[in-house]
Structures are given as C-alpha cells and as structure tokens.
Amino acid sequence: GYETMFPIPLGLSCTWDMTAIEESARIAAIEASADGISWTFSPMVDISQDARWGRCEETFGEDPVLVSQIGGAWIKGYQSRGLFTTPKHFGGHGAPLGGRDSHDIGLSEREMREVHLVPFRHVVRNYDCQSLMMAYSDYMGIPVAGSTELLQQILRQEWGFNGFIVSDCGAIGNLTARKHYTAKDKIEAANQALAAGIATNCGDTYN
C-alpha cells in the first residue's frame, strides 16, 4: 500500500504549528489503523542537546516546552483514531555523553527534572497515555530497567501514571553482562525488571 510521508520529527518541530502536527499524527493513525495497528511506539519526547548523537532527527529538538507541546499534539492525533500511544524513552535517553548512546552520564536530579523529564511529566499529567517506554540508560548509577525511583516513585506515585510500561528493545537483556552487569542471567534480569514495574518486554528476556 501507500502511506503519506511527513517531515522527520525535527523538521515538524520547526513549524511550531501544533494544529498541523496533530493533523499529521491523525493521518498517520488513520493509515496505521487501516493496516490493523492498534499500538504505536510513539511519540519520542526525548530532549536532544548533543548533535553528535545519532538519533537527534527522531526527536522534536532541545527545548522542553516545545517538545512537551508537540508530544501532546501528537498524542491527541493518535488517540483521536483509537491508537495506544507510547511516549519514549523515559528518562534521560536524549542526553548521551559525547554522542554515545545509552550510558550513565551523571545527570543531577535537578537537570533531569527541569529538562529531560519535563515532556514526560506534561504528557502523563495531561493525556491518557496508555503505555510508556523506558530508556536503555542509567540514572544515578542504576539502570532505568531496574529503577524503582523513576518507574514507580516519580512516574506513578508523583505523576499518577496508570498505564503499562514497556521496555525498549533489548533493554532488559542489557541488565546482564551485555551492558549493565546487575544480573547474572536473563532470569535475574527479568526479575529485576518486573520488580521495577516493567510489564511488557520488547525482546526475548521475558520468554
């Protein structure tokens, strides 16, 4: 079939036109629904500040307020056609050190809350986001895949999120020696992720 093509997210953000962005998402949702899709891993509301990062084009840019507004418009467009939305990647994924993806770069709580968590807080508090995708990275030395501080205390207790959490693809497996070294095998990795509140695994760890 044929699909309507829109500018990349970074290009869409340059319009500052929330009506047009919401309409773009609505059209995408119509076409996705026609193909039988009911759940989408979108929107990406990471804040990108380092041009060396290879995923900047997937983001809506570096301004927390603009990204928040676009994320909300995108969710409205998707939800108008009944699609489940998944804001990602929670949290701090767009802040890699030297452009290297998925590492702990020592973000302070103040920088996380005043910059990188702002769009997530906005969409969780203002829209009925059915799900949310967690990030590959660490926060305060703890992998997000096992962080009760991020996934329970902040996300659920402070913000009132009542949807389900899905892992980024392979993120739970990364708790083993593949990256984080907090789990000796996939069974231990799965137990850590489940304890943190990750309901759905993109990958094979929960198998």
Side-chain angles (χ1 to χ4, degrees):
Y2 296 92
E3 293 82 26
T4 305
M5 298 296 292
F6 297 102
I8 62 172
L10 200 57
L12 286 172
S13 71
C14 292
T15 69
W16 292 70
D17 187 337
M18 301 307 146
T19 301
I21 290 169
E22 181 179 340
E23 180 67 4
S24 299
R26 189 185 70 82
I27 292 168
I30 291 171
E31 296 178 357
S33 298
D35 283 338
I37 296 170
S38 58
W39 181 30
T40 175
F41 286 176
S42 181
M44 181 173 175
V45 292
D46 296 324
I47 302 297
S48 60
Q49 297 179 322
D50 189 335
R52 294 171 294 181
W53 186 40
R55 301 186 67 173
C56 290
E57 75 280 0
E58 295 180 56
T59 76
F60 296 120
E62 65 182 354
D63 183 84
V65 175
L66 179 62
V67 174
S68 297
Q69 295 301 312
I70 295 176
W74 202 259
I75 289 170
K76 285 173 63 179
Y78 271 163
Q79 290 181 341
S80 71
R81 305 300 298 184
L83 256 66
F84 278 20
T85 60
T86 310
K88 61 180 188 180
H89 307 82
F90 182 78
H93 182 62
L97 181 63
R100 291 182 298 171
D101 200 40
S102 309
H103 289 271
D104 182 359
I105 67 167
L107 289 176
S108 67
E109 181 178 6
R110 176 176 178 177
E111 188 172 359
M112 276 287 277
R113 286 183 177 272
E114 293 187 359
V115 179
H116 297 283
L117 297 186
V118 170
F120 292 98
R121 184 179 64 222
H122 176 77
V123 297
V124 165
R125 285 181 169 173
N126 293 283
Y127 304 92
D128 184 20
C129 303
Q130 293 86 355
S131 61
L132 181 141
M133 179 180 284
M134 47 69 61
Y136 289 119
S137 48
D138 297 6
Y139 175 56
M140 297 294 189
I142 298 174
V144 176
S147 176
T148 55
E149 179 180 359
L150 278 175
L151 302 182
Q152 293 183 23
Q153 178 184 324
I154 294 176
L155 182 62
R156 295 195 183 279
Q157 296 171 20
E158 290 187 25
W159 299 350
F161 177 71
N162 61 4
F164 65 94
I165 301 170
V166 59
S167 78
D168 204 344
C169 299
I172 297 175
N174 285 348
L175 293 174
T176 66
R178 289 172 57 185
K179 180 177 185 292
H180 292 294
Y181 296 90
T182 64
K184 64 184 178 182
D185 53 31
K186 286 188 173 182
I187 293 175
E188 196 169 286
N191 284 331
Q192 289 178 13
L194 287 166
I198 301 173
T200 305
N201 175 212
C202 177
D204 61 0
T205 305
Y206 280 2
N207 291 351

